[in-house]
Amino acid sequence: MKHIHVVAAAMLLPWLAPSAAQAAIACADLAKDGNHPSTVTLTEAVDTPATEEVPVAHCLVRGQTMERQGIDGKAYAIRFELRLPNAWNERFVHQFNGGNDGAVVPALGMLLGGRKSETALGRGYAVVSSNAGHDGKANPDKGLAGGAAFGFDPEARRDYGYAAVATLQPIAEEIVEAHYGKPIAFRYGLGSSNGGRHAMVAAERMPDVFDGLLVGYPGFNLPRAAVQHALDIQAWSRVDEDIAKSFSRDDLKLVADSVLGACDKLDGMEDGVIADADSCEQSFDITSLTCEGDATSGCLSTKQVDALKTSLAGPVDASGNALYSRWIVDTGIASGNWRTWKIESPIEAWKNKPIIGVMGAASLAQVFTTPPTAVGGTPEALIAFLRDFDIARDGQKIFATDETFQQSAIDFMVPPGAADPRLEAFRQAGHKMIVFHGNSDPVFSVLDTVNWYRKLDQNLDGSASDFVKLYRIPGMPHGAGGPSFDDFDFFAPLVDWVEKGRAPEGIPAGVTEGNEEAGSLQGQRFVYCPYPSVTRASDDPGAEGEARYACR
């Protein structure tokens, strides 16, 4: 694989010798003509001392490429920043960002666990981050819908979906190698949510590039998941027109406590964790919480139960075929994260509407359906769009194309072959992937990821784990936190797997000091096991900490 990047270097930078060995270029000199790819405008290249916020001395490089005017009249460019640590370990990380992108998130390489101080930059990796080809603040006149208004430009859609990563990767590599005067030894990509989707797309579209990919709670079927937002808002609205009142915090705590009571022991240990989620699906029935007779407390109304059942079943088309995925019930349903995404946010500017009702609505209207729909930028208008979205009819727009938008949302967002995954080229290149996903994720169903992995394993005759590992995280909502063991590190095991051939098995985990929702889990240790194995009680009844568990 490495020779491919040397050839690419010679093409991008004519001054590079055929051998990647060359004189190092000082940080400030990277901005000079001839010291970086001619297709790039560098706006900044400065030596940056370690600070409390970024405790690593490094060279900070900022720039842009592919400047153009879109069909919507807006200026577009792939903007990026590179952070090149003084103490470089000869490795590179492409940081894939989340949400709608549209901003250059600091290139720190957050390692996706609950301990936010752990970064790839801090471990000596050069890191790049980008806006994925558009500026999320370019349309202030569109209000809360402005962050997704880039969806009216077809090239911006493609950049967001896959092209920006493919364009930026070789550029970033050449700048890294120019600065240090030596080749990159290993290349990694990491991201969560939409960033996890970027990583899975890269495995299919750029299979020879990344030696290792860390994929956190991926929205790899994001257009399909966006249809779920409409289903949820419609379901909650049938409970109460004010969706914030559809489920109280006590209602969701009742659900969490009930599923824990029904399923905690299924893994062989009563420890406040539902490790055997597959068995729990068969053991817990949400209808068991329906109020009987005149009861109004300690139970859910029939409307509430029906709404949850509708949401858990997922959206379907006019023929009853699934448009997305089923969901499971897990303890993180009572977390603040779950509530913020699904029911009620603390954001006053959004009038406390949930994230799916604001950001989700704007994206479904303007990015994930064809043709895009102009939508009002107020919380009320965005919620109204989802309420009026005809799932059976309008859900087909995620597959649609027209003369202007010649790729559907499924085409530009979803990894090619995701419905029948094989990852042949990625596997043949000897590359590795670790995927982790919270069982309580309110945005992307863990079952969608599980089903993807099952299909991959089936297609490869049971050998998917030779290069892809999936870890399910009990209690974790959309990101590290909630009633879960959130102090984990999947990146170090990935690196060991790539560079030393040590395949990961059980991954130890604890609870970060600030995770109040972990409650009784504080002070305990846990082990995450690669699917389909389950974290179960070990054979030693006197064991403590991680030794209490075994992967079976």
Side-chain angles (χ1 to χ4, degrees):
M1 180 195 75
K2 302 300 183 287
H3 75 280
I4 294 173
H5 295 283
V6 173
V7 172
M11 292 173 63
L12 279 169
L13 300 179
W15 51 268
L16 260 180
S19 168
Q22 59 189 17
I25 298 176
C27 182
D29 290 340
L30 287 171
K32 296 179 179 178
D33 289 345
N35 286 353
H36 58 264
S38 60
T39 56
V40 173
T41 301
L42 290 190
T43 58
E44 190 173 356
V46 294
D47 285 305
T48 305
T51 65
E52 186 175 342
E53 292 78 16
V54 185
V56 179
H58 63 279
C59 172
L60 173 61
V61 178
R62 292 190 172 120
Q64 63 186 45
T65 189
M66 303 297 291
E67 297 93 339
R68 63 181 182 84
Q69 185 178 52
I71 66 170
D72 55 358
K74 300 293 182 178
Y76 287 92
I78 299 172
R79 295 186 173 86
F80 65 91
E81 78 168 39
L82 266 167
R83 294 186 188 243
L84 312 174
N86 293 1
W88 185 46
N89 65 4
E90 301 184 17
R91 285 146 179 82
F92 172 84
V93 163
H94 198 136
Q95 170 185 305
F96 307 126
N97 297 318
N100 286 328
D101 282 297
V104 182
V105 178
L108 304 178
M110 302 292 287
L111 297 182
L112 311 183
R115 202 165 293 281
K116 305 305 180 186
S117 60
E118 291 294 327
T119 67
L121 182 68
R123 295 184 184 183
Y125 293 78
V127 183
V128 71
S129 167
S130 86
N131 68 349
H134 64 273
D135 181 358
K137 295 182 179 180
N139 295 279
D141 57 307
K142 296 184 183 299
L144 297 176
F150 70 91
F152 285 89
D153 181 76
E155 189 170 343
R157 286 184 170 201
R158 287 193 297 273
D159 280 342
Y160 174 56
Y162 61 88
V165 170
T167 299
L168 180 58
Q169 179 69 20
I171 290 171
E173 288 186 22
E174 305 325 320
I175 296 174
V176 171
E177 293 183 343
H179 176 56
Y180 293 113
K182 60 178 66 175
I184 297 167
F186 293 96
R187 295 158 176 80
Y188 296 92
L190 62 83
S192 59
S193 190
N194 176 53
R197 181 199 64 82
H198 277 302
M200 292 177 70
V201 168
E204 290 281 11
R205 290 186 179 271
M206 307 163 62
D208 62 321
V209 173
F210 294 101
D211 299 283
L213 291 168
L214 179 57
V215 181
Y217 40 102
F220 69 97
N221 265 324
L222 218 163
R224 294 177 180 272
V227 178
Q228 175 79 35
H229 302 337
L231 180 72
D232 286 342
I233 293 301
Q234 292 171 21
W236 310 154
S237 297
R238 286 191 286 271
V239 178
D240 196 298
E241 185 72 13
D242 182 353
I243 56 177
K245 296 178 181 177
S246 59
F247 292 91
S248 69
R249 288 172 175 79
D250 286 342
D251 290 333
L252 297 178
K253 185 177 184 300
L254 170 67
V255 177
D257 290 346
S258 298
V259 70
L260 182 64
C263 300
D264 193 357
K265 295 180 180 179
L266 296 178
D267 52 30
M269 183 177 290
E270 192 169 2
D271 55 0
V273 177
I274 301 172
D276 191 351
D278 286 342
S279 295
C280 187
E281 275 197 86
Q282 309 304 318
S283 301
F284 179 72
D285 183 355
I286 194 70
T287 60
S288 65
L289 300 182
T290 308
C291 294
E292 296 183 359
D294 297 329
T296 57
S297 63
C299 57
L300 300 179
S301 71
T302 299
K303 284 186 177 181
Q304 288 177 313
V305 170
D306 287 346
L308 285 175
K309 288 173 63 178
T310 296
S311 176
L312 293 169
V316 297
D317 64 17
S319 300
N321 300 309
L323 286 171
Y324 183 44
S325 170
R326 295 184 302 105
W327 302 69
I328 64 170
V329 180
D330 188 51
T331 56
I333 195 171
S335 68
N337 177 286
W338 197 98
R339 186 172 191 85
T340 294
W341 277 97
K342 290 273 201 184
I343 302 290
E344 174 188 28
S345 80
I347 304 171
E348 292 184 6
W350 294 6
K351 297 189 178 178
N352 302 113
K353 302 305 182 188
I355 298 174
I356 65 167
V358 178
M359 190 171 76
S363 300
L364 179 61
Q366 299 170 114
V367 182
F368 301 141
T369 48
T370 299
T373 301
V375 64
T378 65
E380 295 85 358
L382 292 164
I383 291 290
F385 172 79
L386 292 180
R387 282 185 175 141
D388 294 340
F389 191 85
D390 187 323
I391 292 172
R393 181 194 66 212
D394 299 334
Q396 296 304 308
K397 294 179 181 179
I398 65 175
F399 307 103
T401 61
D402 63 21
E403 186 174 341
T404 301
F405 299 91
Q406 296 181 11
Q407 286 184 309
S408 72
I410 296 296
D411 292 335
F412 67 78
M413 288 296 290
V414 178
D420 189 28
R422 296 179 183 274
L423 291 175
E424 285 288 354
F426 186 79
R427 179 174 64 88
Q428 290 173 7
H431 298 164
K432 303 293 187 282
M433 179 190 296
I434 290 180
V435 184
F436 68 95
H437 202 143
N439 286 340
S440 294
D441 193 334
V443 188
F444 304 123
S445 172
V446 68
L447 294 185
D448 197 34
T449 302
V450 168
N451 289 336
W452 170 85
Y453 185 79
R454 286 173 175 167
K455 291 175 183 176
L456 177 67
D457 196 47
Q458 181 178 4
N459 285 341
L460 300 180
D461 299 322
S463 64
S465 64
D466 290 350
F467 71 109
V468 180
K469 300 281 189 180
L470 168 63
Y471 292 83
R472 298 180 66 168
I473 312 299
M476 189 179 89
H478 196 61
S484 70
F485 290 95
D486 64 325
D487 190 2
F488 52 75
D489 181 357
F490 286 106
F491 186 67
L494 174 65
V495 171
D496 272 356
W497 196 11
V498 167
E499 300 184 17
K500 299 177 182 177
R502 294 199 292 254
E505 291 300 330
I507 303 295
V511 179
T512 58
E513 298 81 358
N515 185 1
E516 297 180 0
E517 290 186 323
S520 62
L521 304 182
Q522 285 282 0
Q524 298 185 46
R525 300 288 294 173
F526 194 72
V527 174
Y528 292 127
C529 295
Y531 189 82
S533 63
V534 173
T535 306
R536 300 193 183 278
S538 70
D539 294 328
D540 183 358
E544 297 182 354
E546 297 154 22
R548 297 186 301 159
Y549 299 101
C551 295
R552 293 177 174 147

